[in-house]
Amino acid sequence: GIQVEQSPPDLILQEGANSTLRCNFSDSVNNLQWFHQNPWGQLINLFYIPSGTKQNGRLSATTVATERYSLLYISSSQTTDSGVYFCAVEETSGSRLTFGEGTQLTVNP
Amino acid sequence: EPEVTQTPSHQVTQMGQEVILRCVPISNHLYFYWYRQILGQKVEFLVSFYNNEISEKSEIFDDQFSVERPDGSNFTLKIRSTKLEDSAMYFCASSEVTEAFFGQGTRLTVV
């Protein structure tokens, strides 16, 4: 099956810093999503981004499908950004999402 | 905004007991899923359901698991005889075709 690798596994920032999280995948995909898992365990949709670039406030994401990677940018980080960020890919429409191992982000005040 | 809702949010059960986890997917969605996440690990796919039947299942989804859409709104996951290793967060998800949306999860603890 498809492999999804995220880096870095852990990231510690000071409030106000910027960061880039990376997701590599081993095969072509129909769908790619970024999620934030908050401290209560909820998976919050950040981006649906099979290709191209999207922005939502301080967050933006870029997927280069031909090179099989996606990047999540967090600017001016806040303590509420802490949690685990997951990348997940879908190989064909309506099929399972395969998740990466996640990046544990800690933003210190 | 429409959302996927799951009940209960927490459940503690004795080993060997049956549990039913309930989900109400987003109303116009066609695809339904169950995933689980053992504490500290990544989210793993269990099963997908489309057009009133299982469309795909993982190797985790063995004979102790079953899914059902008993009416037009609910989607359930039954674990027949729970084991200690079934302790995890269980997520229901639904999608229209593309973007999947997840419920808040049910934390199952088997003691």
Side-chain angles (χ1 to χ4, degrees):
Chain A
I2 196 167
Q3 304 297 312
V4 181
E5 295 182 357
Q6 292 186 241
S7 60
D10 297 279
L11 187 57
I12 300 174
L13 302 173
Q14 286 299 121
E15 202 166 24
N18 302 329
S19 61
T20 301
L21 282 57
R22 187 176 180 104
C23 172
N24 293 332
F25 43 96
S26 60
D27 207 341
S28 58
V29 297
N30 183 68
N31 172 19
L32 186 145
Q33 293 184 237
W34 283 96
F35 297 90
H36 175 217
Q37 187 166 42
N38 64 22
W40 296 271
Q42 292 178 291
L43 287 168
I44 309 298
N45 286 45
L46 296 177
F47 293 102
Y48 163 72
I49 187 165
S51 63
T53 297
K54 290 185 177 180
Q55 179 150 10
N56 184 4
R58 296 181 295 104
L59 273 59
S60 64
T62 294
T63 297
V64 184
T66 53
E67 296 187 24
R68 298 180 185 166
Y69 73 89
S70 184
L71 302 174
L72 177 69
Y73 305 96
I74 304 173
S75 65
S76 304
S77 57
Q78 301 176 357
T79 56
T80 52
D81 294 333
S82 296
V84 183
Y85 289 80
F86 287 105
C87 165
V89 301
E90 176 195 59
E91 290 183 78
T92 56
S93 182
S95 69
R96 67 172 74 183
L97 281 172
T98 300
F99 282 74
E101 300 278 346
T103 292
Q104 173 77 59
L105 175 66
T106 303
V107 181
N108 292 320
Chain B
E1 186 174 319
E3 59 182 15
V4 178
T5 57
Q6 290 185 241
T7 54
S9 55
H10 296 88
Q11 181 148 3
V12 180
T13 190
Q14 296 271 349
M15 192 168 53
Q17 294 297 303
E18 175 182 287
V19 295
I20 297 176
L21 310 183
R22 303 183 191 277
C23 170
V24 179
I26 295 173
S27 62
N28 62 332
H29 284 189
L30 304 174
Y31 297 87
F32 313 115
Y33 311 86
W34 284 100
Y35 293 80
R36 80 172 186 189
Q37 184 183 32
I38 294 170
L39 188 63
Q41 298 186 20
K42 68 178 181 180
V43 180
E44 302 174 290
F45 169 79
L46 291 177
V47 66
S48 59
F49 195 84
Y50 171 73
N51 203 23
N52 288 318
E53 62 182 20
I54 290 174
S55 50
E56 188 180 5
K57 58 183 181 180
S58 71
E59 56 278 5
I60 303 168
F61 193 86
D62 61 22
D63 291 345
Q64 68 162 153
F65 292 95
S66 63
V67 290
E68 195 177 40
R69 188 157 162 81
D71 53 42
S73 59
N74 292 286
F75 181 50
T76 62
L77 174 69
K78 181 191 289 186
I79 309 175
R80 252 179 281 282
S81 178
T82 49
K83 307 171 194 168
L84 294 176
E85 54 265 36
D86 293 328
S87 294
M89 179 79 100
Y90 288 81
F91 292 103
C92 173
S94 69
S95 71
E96 193 170 4
V97 176
T98 52
E99 187 175 6
F101 293 86
F102 284 69
Q104 81 278 20
T106 293
R107 186 167 298 284
L108 177 66
T109 303
V110 183
V111 297

